[in-house]
Amino acid sequence: MSRLEFQILSDRKDIDPATELILCIIFFPYFYYWEPISKVLALVGNLPRSRREKNAYLQFYLHPQTIISPVSSLTMDTSSQTYTIQTAHTNWIFSGDTGSTLLQSTFGKSVPETCTSAALAVYPVRNLSALLEPSLCIIQPDGTHNLELQLAAVSESGLDDNASSTVFHLADPAYPVDVDLIITAYFAEDVITSRIRVINKGSQEIMLLDRDSAFVRLPYHHDTRLTSFYGCWGKEMTGFHEDRLPRGITKHVNSQISRAAVPDYPGCYLSFGGPAQEDSGDVFAAAVAWTGSWEYSITNTENDEVFFSAGTLPALRKLAPGRRYESPNVVMTWSSQGKGQASRNLHDYGRNYGIYNGKTERPVVLNSWEGLYMDFNEEIVTALIHRAAEAGAEYFVLDDGWFGNGKYARNQDTCGLGDWQVNREKLPHGIEYLCDECENVGLRFGIWVEPEMICPLSELFENHPDYAMQLRFRDRVPMRNQYNLDLTNREVESFVYNTVASLLSAHPRIAYIKWDHNATANVNPGSPANPDDQGALNDRFTEAYYRIISKLRNNFPSVIFQACSSGGMRGDLGTLQFSEEFWGSDETNALDRILIQWGWSHFFPSKAIASHIGRYKEGDFKLRADVAMTARLGIELDPKILSDADFDTLKQGVAEYKKIRPLIHSADLYRGRSPHDSQVTELTFVAKDKSQAVFFGFKRHTDPHTENLLPRGIDASKIYRLTELNPDTAPRIVPGDFSGADLLANGIPVSFPSKQSSVVVRLDAI
Ligand code: DGJ
């Protein structure tokens, strides 16, 4: 709880108008000269120091019936028992007296709407209409699906100057069950998250079934469109479907236990009033921050109402007396400027809160996988380290194949997972030698692990077959010749933590971990250690994964973590709470990556999406470098296979990227034409103050082509100097000075050669 908010919330009713006027006069100079004065007052104590606190104070004194806590996004109207959760352009209004049902009004753009009687329960526990499913279904000890939630209290706490959590404490008057609905508002980002906590206060076990993290009432429009994202290995996020919302319930589900992003993606966009546009229209976007099975559903009722609910996939799980269940968060945003602004809101949220170390700059990585696979020795790796440095990489990451000995040496993917000892034949001088080699050429060293797995052909399995997941009475089914470890067993959880912690402790120069996960846990969905609570498996597995990785993050704070799961199957906001980035896809072909990264950009800023210049298929090296530049650029090939000319192109691409990296990683992304509709597409990264931008154009067909490509998001009133970056032998644009208005209206003329190609242009305001 912040310094003043409790005081204000409790005192406010007692202030009479005369006192209020006096207070207003006293504080007025302070509000207008708050910056210098606040420095002095900071020494004194409890007075507002930030711009948001100041605004809250102003509103508080100028609008008598409202109560605003100074660092919060919550406004309480005491006369109508209304709670307004607010971000810069969004509000969500709740109302209800203590002891009654809490109601919610429409989530969306900031309008002076009140919570009317038409508003619906904040979190339905019964069927409120013929269609709507309950968000929370609890089976009481007497066997009834019986729950009623009444408002017991409201509390609030500030996370920082910009974000605060409001907790609606709800209680059942008949059964000893409490439910906290925790809504966190990120003011500047226009993002609101929702989650629940269920507390069994009774003396008997209860069962949880449905337990959505969020239930949101959305505006109704007869033409509401749902954009969902779908993918598979090598094609993550390329299925991009926009459908008109039918009457009834539209549900998207992923039943994988240990990964979330494929095939269906745990996030969607909804637009109200026709197809979602990039730059205009009302859009709601949401994603479940959870690395396990999930569902979201949109209900379009018989009464023309639209509701969104989301959370983990329902499964019957036990909740013992005194225990609590904590759901994951659902992250939501609203934009009245189309999909583009909704994505930018999520990017800002990711950089500022949602992604681990979201604000730091990401290094250029050379990963050994597509260059060497498992076929290497010390000499080969050393040579690659040297070539990585020449290419301009900053980190070298040794991928799969460095561990296991004797009959279980990891020379192919059939064995060795679990035996995390360096392979003495391949790497006789161990990891320290490789760290030295990296250090000698100015690189930092990183390494691949897949610590949640066990191969049946491993020493670990010989010694601990019970560590592997297995469903009672069923034979284990391998996937990629491996099983998931039973993370829900505390002993196994410690083993997994210790595997990585010992590696990092023994080799403090390891600066990067690629954490892979190549088999879904639902092929053997059972825990030998906890077989009697099957419905908790999904929760327990993911919670253990989060505990392990967050403990590692705390104990090894300077190591960068990349999340990987057969490519991008862990590209979810749950995993990214603990990882700087994720591997976008095993598909490194530049043309496919245009579509893959387009999909990811709906949820993640470019710095979180690892994109490597690969060795395969279409696209010259300029095109491959340009595509990788729009994300976190890396290299995934052995430069030894390249011609001198291609190696020079690669080096040039890396060098150019480093110059624009700070901008690409922090700027606002404006998407142009979609690769789903057009063979020519555009991306513009614009600095927050619009003083600089970098524009990318991609052409996927092979005809020679001159076309005006449209940058977006720049300032119409500024003059920009255009310079081509990462040029090919022949220039593709004519450099010069142009007004923002002209560029926005007429575009940049680009002459593409007769091959799949790209252009990168820097725009500097002069
Ligand atoms: C799957 C990943 O997606 C690849 O990048 C690579 O690390 C392999 N696993 C290694 O087995």
Side-chain angles (χ1 to χ4, degrees):
M1 187 55 64
S2 67
R3 292 182 296 279
L4 278 167
E5 62 201 67
F6 257 150
Q7 206 182 319
I8 286 180
L9 292 175
S10 52
D11 292 355
R12 183 63 189 86
K13 279 182 228 148
D14 306 331
I15 298 176
D16 60 76
T19 317
E20 186 164 318
L21 187 66
I22 294 166
L23 281 170
C24 222
I25 293 164
I26 295 171
F27 279 110
F28 233 68
Y30 173 65
F31 294 139
Y32 283 93
Y33 302 100
W34 67 280
E35 244 155 8
I37 297 175
S38 68
K39 292 203 174 88
V40 179
L41 291 180
L43 303 170
V44 185
N46 276 347
L47 281 167
R49 293 162 208 169
S50 71
R51 190 175 297 277
R52 289 213 52 236
E53 287 188 33
K54 180 204 74 167
N55 291 341
Y57 268 64
L58 265 178
Q59 257 183 291
F60 166 58
Y61 286 110
L62 299 180
H63 302 284
Q65 76 280 23
T66 59
I67 296 177
I68 303 171
S69 57
V71 296
S72 85
S73 302
L74 175 69
T75 310
M76 273 179 63
D77 186 323
T78 47
S79 53
S80 60
Q81 286 303 326
T82 299
Y83 309 89
T84 302
I85 291 179
Q86 193 143 16
T87 65
H89 304 98
T90 306
N91 66 22
W92 196 8
I93 304 171
F94 302 84
S95 77
D97 288 328
T98 321
S100 70
T101 305
L102 184 67
L103 304 176
Q104 68 165 299
S105 204
T106 311
F107 181 109
K109 80 182 117 191
S110 246
V111 283
E113 188 190 348
T114 49
C115 214
T116 62
S117 54
L120 265 184
V122 66
Y123 191 71
V125 290
R126 296 218 198 95
N127 303 49
L128 295 171
S129 78
L131 262 182
L132 208 55
E133 294 177 314
S135 282
L136 180 63
C137 178
I138 290 180
I139 304 172
Q140 301 291 0
D142 59 12
T144 58
H145 293 215
N146 195 350
L147 185 70
E148 189 181 318
L149 294 177
Q150 296 179 350
L151 181 63
V154 183
S155 64
E156 214 224 348
S157 55
L159 304 185
D160 60 25
D161 197 19
N162 174 61
S164 69
S165 291
T166 301
V167 184
F168 294 107
H169 302 279
L170 312 170
D172 189 304
Y175 290 95
V177 177
D178 283 2
V179 176
D180 290 344
L181 177 66
I182 303 148
I183 313 275
T184 305
Y186 300 87
F187 190 86
E189 294 77 11
D190 272 326
V191 163
I192 292 182
T193 63
S194 171
R195 67 186 174 91
I196 59 151
R197 173 186 302 134
V198 181
I199 308 154
N200 180 1
K201 295 177 81 180
S203 54
Q204 287 173 281
E205 184 176 275
I206 58 172
M207 302 286 273
L208 302 183
L209 185 54
D210 300 83
R211 43 204 143 98
D212 291 335
S213 301
F215 172 78
V216 181
R217 181 185 183 174
L218 291 168
Y220 172 78
H221 195 286
H222 70 278
D223 190 1
T224 299
R225 306 280 173 126
L226 166 66
T227 302
S228 56
F229 302 82
Y230 189 87
C232 60
W233 179 82
K235 291 192 170 27
E236 292 86 340
M237 301 299 270
T238 55
F240 189 88
H241 302 288
E242 188 173 49
D243 301 306
R244 195 167 171 161
L245 203 63
R247 189 71 77 188
I249 301 177
T250 304
K251 202 172 267 221
H252 283 254
V253 169
N254 189 331
S255 63
Q256 301 203 60
I257 288 174
S258 54
R259 50 202 200 181
V262 163
D264 223 331
Y265 193 73
C268 65
Y269 277 54
L270 282 162
S271 65
F272 306 90
Q277 306 297 320
E278 276 296 331
D279 297 331
S280 61
D282 287 341
V283 169
F284 169 82
V288 188
W290 179 244
T291 318
S293 63
W294 54 262
E295 75 168 21
Y296 69 80
S297 55
I298 300 110
T299 307
N300 192 358
T301 74
E302 67 277 23
N303 300 325
D304 292 343
E305 293 163 311
V306 177
F307 299 101
F308 172 84
S309 57
T312 58
L313 190 65
L316 209 53
R317 77 164 277 184
K318 299 172 181 171
L319 197 62
R323 302 307 293 264
R324 42 180 67 195
Y325 162 74
E326 306 269 354
S327 84
N329 263 316
V330 168
V331 178
M332 302 175 283
T333 190
W334 178 270
S335 150
S336 296
Q337 289 153 44
K339 286 187 288 187
Q341 187 57 47
S343 301
R344 289 188 287 279
N345 292 348
L346 294 177
H347 297 173
D348 283 340
Y349 165 76
R351 282 186 287 244
N352 296 335
Y353 298 97
I355 297 174
Y356 200 89
N357 277 334
K359 292 183 176 143
T360 58
E361 199 163 283
R362 286 10 179 190
V364 175
V365 166
L366 185 144
N367 177 293
S368 67
W369 181 243
E370 285 191 5
L372 306 179
Y373 295 111
M374 299 185 201
D375 189 14
F376 56 78
N377 59 28
E378 200 167 77
E379 203 184 323
I380 292 172
V381 174
T382 305
L384 185 56
I385 289 172
H386 286 248
R387 284 191 286 270
E390 275 175 54
E394 294 156 325
Y395 281 46
F396 171 81
V397 177
L398 183 60
D399 210 281
D400 198 353
W402 59 268
F403 52 92
N405 282 289
K407 59 183 174 171
Y408 299 137
R410 181 83 170 167
N411 295 319
Q412 59 284 317
D413 66 15
T414 51
C415 65
L417 292 175
D419 301 348
W420 297 105
Q421 299 80 35
V422 180
N423 183 292
R424 289 181 295 275
E425 251 178 66
K426 283 177 168 176
L427 302 170
H429 299 99
I431 289 173
E432 284 302 290
Y433 174 86
L434 299 178
C435 292
D436 286 342
E437 286 298 324
C438 281
E439 214 165 81
N440 290 341
V441 290
L443 294 184
R444 307 201 66 191
F445 179 75
I447 200 157
W448 177 96
V449 287
E450 196 178 0
E452 297 154 274
M453 297 292 166
I454 183 167
C455 280
L457 298 180
S458 66
E459 282 178 24
L460 183 67
F461 193 76
E462 278 178 11
N463 297 328
H464 294 287
D466 55 312
Y467 275 16
M469 287 180 76
Q470 183 172 23
L471 196 56
R472 195 185 261 173
F473 309 128
R474 313 287 167 212
D475 289 339
R476 289 192 178 99
V477 181
M479 185 173 181
R480 207 201 189 206
N481 309 304
Q482 63 200 54
Y483 309 128
N484 273 268
L485 287 168
D486 180 11
L487 257 52
T488 74
N489 174 345
R490 287 288 175 154
E491 187 180 319
V492 177
E493 183 182 327
S494 301
F495 169 81
V496 174
Y497 170 79
N498 289 332
T499 295
V500 186
S502 324
L503 188 66
L504 292 173
S505 305
H507 308 290
R509 284 180 294 171
I510 294 180
Y512 181 106
I513 288 282
K514 174 174 175 180
W515 181 299
D516 208 344
H517 180 97
N518 289 301
T520 166
N522 62 335
V523 286
N524 299 295
S527 157
N530 296 294
D532 302 326
D533 193 5
Q534 179 72 25
L537 191 65
N538 179 44
D539 300 327
R540 290 216 178 103
F541 188 97
T542 303
E543 283 159 11
Y545 161 55
Y546 290 170
R547 271 197 302 274
I548 295 165
I549 196 158
S550 75
K551 193 165 156 199
L552 287 165
R553 305 288 349 210
N554 289 338
N555 293 340
F556 303 93
S558 62
V559 179
I560 294 175
F561 279 64
Q562 180 188 79
C564 174
S565 181
S566 308
M569 299 193 195
R570 275 187 170 171
D572 63 86
L573 278 162
T575 286
L576 269 286
Q577 296 171 88
F578 307 104
S579 302
E580 275 83 353
E581 59 178 37
F582 63 97
W583 180 222
S585 177
D586 278 342
E587 181 57 83
T588 51
N589 167 15
L591 296 180
D592 292 322
R593 273 291 184 137
I594 291 172
L595 282 116
I596 292 168
Q597 290 167 198
W598 182 271
W600 288 125
S601 78
H602 288 78
F603 297 94
F604 294 103
S606 57
K607 64 173 14 174
I609 309 161
S611 177
H612 294 177
I613 302 169
R615 64 192 263 189
Y616 290 116
K617 300 193 207 161
E618 298 100 320
D620 60 24
F621 276 89
K622 170 179 162 50
L623 174 64
R624 294 183 209 191
D626 290 351
V627 170
M629 276 191 214
T630 64
R632 196 283 280 139
L633 176 144
I635 305 165
E636 191 148 335
L637 49 77
D638 185 344
K640 142 179 125 181
I641 62 161
L642 303 183
S643 66
D644 287 350
D646 281 345
F647 188 48
D648 285 346
T649 309
L650 176 87
K651 275 201 298 196
Q652 178 187 307
V654 173
E656 296 274 273
Y657 164 74
K658 284 182 186 166
K659 290 186 210 151
I660 54 172
R661 172 169 52 186
L663 184 58
I664 301 274
H665 285 195
S666 63
D668 284 335
L669 171 62
Y670 290 80
R671 289 179 296 250
R673 279 171 286 178
S674 162
H676 295 281
D677 305 331
S678 166
Q679 291 285 304
V680 181
T681 55
E682 299 106 340
L683 295 172
T684 317
F685 292 86
V686 184
K688 297 267 177 208
D689 65 2
K690 312 252 181 208
S691 63
Q692 291 180 321
V694 180
F695 172 81
F696 292 84
F698 299 108
K699 173 179 77 83
R700 286 181 294 148
H701 62 72
T702 51
D703 303 333
H705 197 63
T706 299
E707 183 178 327
N708 285 11
L709 267 58
L710 284 177
R712 296 196 186 197
I714 55 172
D715 185 342
S717 66
K718 288 192 182 346
I719 304 290
Y720 289 96
R721 175 153 301 158
L722 267 53
T723 327
E724 185 172 356
L725 295 183
N726 199 24
D728 202 3
T729 39
R732 293 181 184 171
I733 66 150
V734 178
D737 299 343
F738 300 88
S739 80
D742 180 14
L743 292 166
L744 288 166
N746 304 315
I748 306 171
V750 179
S751 307
F752 284 118
S754 56
K755 58 179 178 179
Q756 292 135 337
S757 41
S758 51
V759 66
V760 190
V761 184
R762 187 181 174 120
L763 294 85
D764 290 290
I766 51 172

